[in-house]
Amino acid sequence: ARTLVLGWGSTYGPITAAVRRLRAAGESIAQAHLRHLNPFPKNLGTVLGRYERVVVPEMNLGQLSALLRAKYLVDVQPFTQVNGMPFKEEQLADALEATIHGH
């Protein structure tokens, strides 16, 4: 896969469902989920460097994306939502598919 979807916290369920949907449709996409943020896992920089695109769905204004960019110098693409509602599978799948295909 050339795209990694990196999540943390409550985004696990919707990300997993969206990634499964895309894989079932024939897309090549990878998924990882952080269990703790401080300290970051020791191999996180190596993992992030293996992908052309790293997408981080966040239920905030993109704080994790900013931290990852600063620490690992990786062009992380945040997908944010701040409306008190969780991500929906279809919403994430559509956004990830657009990212994969450069839209």
Side-chain angles (χ1 to χ4, degrees), residues 43-85:
N43 67 337
L44 184 57
T46 303
V47 170
L48 296 177
R50 292 181 184 151
Y51 296 92
E52 288 180 17
R53 289 177 295 276
V54 177
V55 180
V56 179
E58 296 187 69
M59 300 296 298
N60 56 43
L61 296 175
Q63 286 89 332
L64 177 57
S65 298
L67 288 171
L68 295 170
R69 281 181 173 158
K71 184 166 178 80
Y72 300 109
L73 303 176
V74 174
D75 184 21
V76 175
Q77 299 174 21
F79 181 72
T80 62
Q81 176 174 294
V82 185
N83 63 6
M85 299 297 293

Side-chain angles (χ1 to χ4, degrees), residues 4-18:
L4 170 68
V5 184
L6 180 65
W8 70 282
S10 65
T11 61
Y12 179 78
I15 289 173
T16 300

Side-chain angles (χ1 to χ4, degrees), residues 5-32:
V5 184
L6 180 65
W8 70 282
S10 65
T11 61
Y12 179 78
I15 289 173
T16 300
V19 167
R20 284 182 184 157
R21 174 186 278 211
L22 291 172
R23 286 179 180 155
E27 298 290 353
S28 178
I29 188 166
Q31 176 186 2

